[in-house]
Amino acid sequence: MAEFMTETELRSPVVPCPGTAEERWGRADDAGPLEGHEAAALLECTRAVVDPELHAALESLPGAMRRIALYHFGRQHADGTPATGDAGKAIRPALVLAAAAALGGPAARTAAVRAAVAVELVHNVTLLHDDVMDRDTSRRHRPTAWTVFGVTDAILAGDALQALALRLLAEDPHPAAGPAAARLADCVVELCAGQYTDTNLERGAPEGVTLAEVLAMAEARTGALLGCACALGALYAGAGPGDVAALDGFGRQAGLAFQLIDDVIGIWGDPRHTGKPAGADLAARKKSLPVVAALSTGTEAAAELAELYGTPCVAGDTEGVALAALAVERAGGRDWAQAEAADRMARAVQELSRAVPDPEAAGGLLMLAEFVTRRGS
């Protein structure tokens, strides 16, 4: 079976993107085939366009909140000295800009920069808060904010970023800013509901969690924000309700594919590229999509996995993690996740074609979707 893009490929070298913002985007628009390096260049172009507005927003925070936020975004070390750390791939703001361009051209893309920053801020709210709730100690190859500044301060920094996101849209004179703010607020509520469901599912017995429940939770936690990003771009392009809904559907389905791949990486990813220990999700006994799919098969391997998940993982138990990974694979969890991701991407493309039937106009969105779910032979 063809494999999805590896974590190494996801972190492929970024192509330099010199020139003005529009020159950068023009080259990205004309990139041609949907190859990983062109997508990486598009993401770098997004960073170049979005970062000045993002940096200005972060600098507007009061001292303590600013320090935590700048650390989280990789702009400062814990002691406040400048840093050049990893700020993430910028997939969500790139989707905002690509959606705006697909439906409204370069002018709409330029107008949507604040909306792109707002989406990136909300995304990082979820990261700050998720790290606290999941007790993750590493993100982007450095200690998580809560481990450096404390739980309370990390939560407050996340709250401040959410307020910044809504302020950016409230101060934006663009006619789409009001509907965009309302849609982003609704998305945050959906994200919270998804996180609540996730937390409750994690408390339950392994055999009591259904695949339908976990897919719905994944759509709320991951698909909702990618869908919102695409919908905001459509709003800034002046699109009608049908096209906005189609772009939202595209992002949601692509988001599910993204989550499926992320869950695969969470089990089988290379720690040198993920920044987390091998099998970290298994060690934490997370009921990720491949795990729940494996548990639902009723096979001997599923029973073994349920027994493993029924006992706490001892720190440093690499053998137990390896046994769990093998059980997931033997029960078909890995194959199912890859096939399901392919199906979700097919649905995403169908949704996109409703609003943007011209593949050339949809090129940026297709490029980003292909980037996170690219297959090798």
Side-chain angles (χ1 to χ4, degrees):
M1 177 177 288
E3 293 290 329
F4 280 98
M5 187 175 189
T6 65
E7 183 69 10
T8 301
E9 290 170 313
L10 280 170
R11 295 177 58 82
S12 56
V14 172
V15 178
C17 200
T20 66
E22 279 310 314
E23 286 171 345
R24 296 182 182 108
W25 272 104
R27 285 193 290 276
D29 290 341
D30 297 333
L34 304 181
E35 297 293 340
H37 287 300
E38 278 100 6
L42 189 151
L43 293 171
E44 180 66 8
C45 293
T46 298
R47 275 273 168 237
V49 173
V50 164
D51 272 2
E53 187 90 35
L54 175 63
H55 185 73
L58 297 177
E59 287 290 341
S60 72
L61 290 169
M65 296 296 96
R66 180 171 66 248
R67 181 180 175 189
I68 299 167
L70 290 173
Y71 172 84
H72 171 75
F73 277 94
R75 296 172 182 267
Q76 284 188 1
H77 295 294
D79 61 4
T81 57
T84 55
D86 181 8
K89 290 182 285 290
I91 290 170
R92 291 154 189 82
L95 286 171
V96 176
L97 301 182
L103 289 168
R109 179 175 57 215
T110 300
V113 169
R114 281 192 182 182
V117 175
V119 168
E120 181 72 343
L121 287 168
V122 167
H123 171 54
N124 280 275
V125 171
T126 68
L127 299 184
L128 280 163
H129 288 175
D130 281 357
D131 286 343
V132 170
M133 286 183 276
D134 296 341
R135 288 299 188 263
D136 285 336
T137 58
S138 176
R139 179 170 295 280
R140 297 168 181 163
H141 303 273
R142 65 198 319 224
T144 47
W146 75 269
T147 66
V148 175
F149 301 99
V151 168
T152 300
D153 290 355
I155 292 173
L156 290 173
D159 294 344
L161 293 185
Q162 182 175 325
L164 277 184
L166 294 176
R167 189 180 77 186
L168 278 175
L169 293 176
E171 293 177 349
D172 190 349
H174 194 282
R183 196 171 193 104
L184 187 59
D186 285 343
C187 178
V188 170
V189 172
E190 187 174 358
L191 290 169
C192 291
Q195 181 63 38
Y196 174 84
T197 301
D198 184 30
T199 302
N200 278 277
L201 289 177
E202 289 301 323
R203 294 194 189 108
E207 59 274 14
V209 179
T210 69
L211 199 50
E213 287 175 317
V214 180
L215 280 167
M217 177 272 295
E219 180 177 345
R221 289 193 68 228
T222 304
L225 188 54
L226 269 71
C228 182
C230 296
L232 262 58
L235 286 171
Y236 271 75
D243 287 347
V244 172
L247 265 292
D248 180 84
F250 164 77
R252 283 176 180 270
Q253 294 300 328
L256 273 171
F258 181 95
Q259 186 60 57
L260 285 153
I261 293 164
D262 193 60
D263 284 355
V264 169
I265 291 171
I267 297 174
W268 294 283
D270 187 337
R272 293 173 297 177
H273 303 300
T274 64
K276 295 183 178 182
D281 285 357
L282 295 176
R285 299 298 192 249
K286 288 184 69 67
K287 300 181 183 72
S288 63
L289 286 159
V291 168
V292 176
L295 288 168
S296 68
T297 60
T299 60
E300 182 180 342
E304 293 173 9
L305 180 62
E307 184 176 353
L308 286 167
Y309 258 56
T311 59
C313 184
V314 179
D317 181 16
T318 56
E319 182 179 353
V321 167
L323 286 173
L326 181 60
V328 175
E329 189 149 16
R330 286 172 49 223
R334 186 174 191 172
D335 287 345
W336 174 87
Q338 292 173 332
E340 184 71 13
D343 179 64
R344 295 295 175 168
M345 278 310 307
R347 297 188 201 185
V349 172
Q350 288 179 345
E351 291 283 356
L352 180 59
S353 66
R354 288 171 47 205
V356 192
D358 179 6
E360 185 175 348
L365 289 166
L366 290 170
M367 185 183 295
L368 291 167
E370 183 77 4
F371 178 72
V372 297
T373 57
R374 182 161 56 89
R375 299 166 185 267
S377 57

